[in-house]
Amino acid sequence: MSTIQPLFEEIKKLTSPHIIITTHHKPDADALGSSLALYNYFKNAGIASQVISPTDYGDFLDWMAGEPTVINFEEHKQLSSEMIAEADYVFCLDFNALSRINDMGGMVANSKCKKVLIDHHLNPESFYDFEHWSSKASSTCELIYEVIRLWDYSFMDRDIARCLYAGIMTDTGSFRFPSTLPSTHMAVAELLKFNIDHHFIHEHIFDSFTEDRVRFVGHVVSQKLVLIPEYHVAYMTVTQDELALFNITTGDTEGLVNYGLGIKGIKFAALFIDRKQLVKMSFRSKGDFPANEFAAKYFKGGGHFNAAGGQSDLSLDDTVKKFIGALPEWSNLLK
Ligand code: 5GP
Ligand code: MN
């Protein structure tokens, strides 16, 4: 395993290296923001690269510089697999287990390319050659900022700063999670020096929902929220019919789980969404309840200590039963 610092010099010496940048499926602002920040950085340095997303993502990210060049793997499988097979470097951003990039995982594993991990999730799998990793980092965007500092800051610009700001802002819950450190604010202060429109970025991410989405949140919160006061738990379920009724698309369920956690006294909140092939779960916790351990133990998931996710191939009802059945095992942390 090598550190990332000498990598830029190595890449600069090559003539037309093939560089792929990828991130986890259904990328959020940190995932896409870090990917496009790195893409724009290479571009400024005269180095071509290609961002491939394993899936689509919400259109609240479409203002990021370079976004129209992103390839959606699900729509261009043949092209993507050829590019991955021929790559000299694949940058893996904001994930650390190849299962998080779906069918692309095997392709990356089998490619002769050098693999570079830039990530802040716990317990990385060991599939990479270079790393810049810290589970204490607020976001992958903050890590990209560090990488740019280590490499050559003269290639930094406003487009990159906007992408990085978006990821740091969202992954810190607008600078309020415990992961927000002095270094986070110092990085953001530097980003603001590029005269970025942070109000526009905030508005595009948090205040640009469809009417359907807002009514959907109202419906789920008023009709589907269940509290289990004994364990300080709140959960919500969403059926396939409800997703269809409110025309819910990628990104629309983002943040919904936080309504449960926003209730005074609730320590652990869950959201269950029936997505045809599987039930997808989001977990959020306050304080010392390890949402990621819980997700890993019962629902093939993981994530951060206070924000994690998982999945289940049981029915929605049976998944909820399994969830409730697991709570007594955690009663010392939840009571
Ligand atoms: P979200 O609830 O926003 O989908 O995910 C919250 C966090 O949990 C993210 O940091 C994400 O990386 C992680 N996460 C979500 N789903 C999964 C999963 O199925 N497996 C793993 N390992 N992590 C997940
Ligand atoms: Mn992240």
Side-chain angles (χ1 to χ4, degrees), residues 228-234 261 265-270 283-291 294 298 305-306 323-335:
I228 311 177
E230 191 189 351
Y231 291 109
H232 303 98
V233 162
L261 199 67
I266 294 297
K267 292 183 187 165
F268 185 39
F283 299 113
R284 299 290 186 272
S285 67
K286 283 179 197 148
D288 58 2
F289 185 78
F294 185 92
Y298 308 102
F305 193 89
N306 295 123
F323 171 76
I324 294 171
L327 296 176
E329 278 187 54
W330 300 82
S331 59
N332 58 331
L333 288 175
L334 288 174
K335 287 219 165 174

Side-chain angles (χ1 to χ4, degrees), residues 100 121 254 280 282-284 300-304 307-311:
R100 299 274 294 145
H121 294 89
E254 185 98 28
K280 186 77 190 92
S282 286
F283 299 113
R284 299 290 186 272
K300 291 181 253 173
H304 308 284
Q311 50 199 289

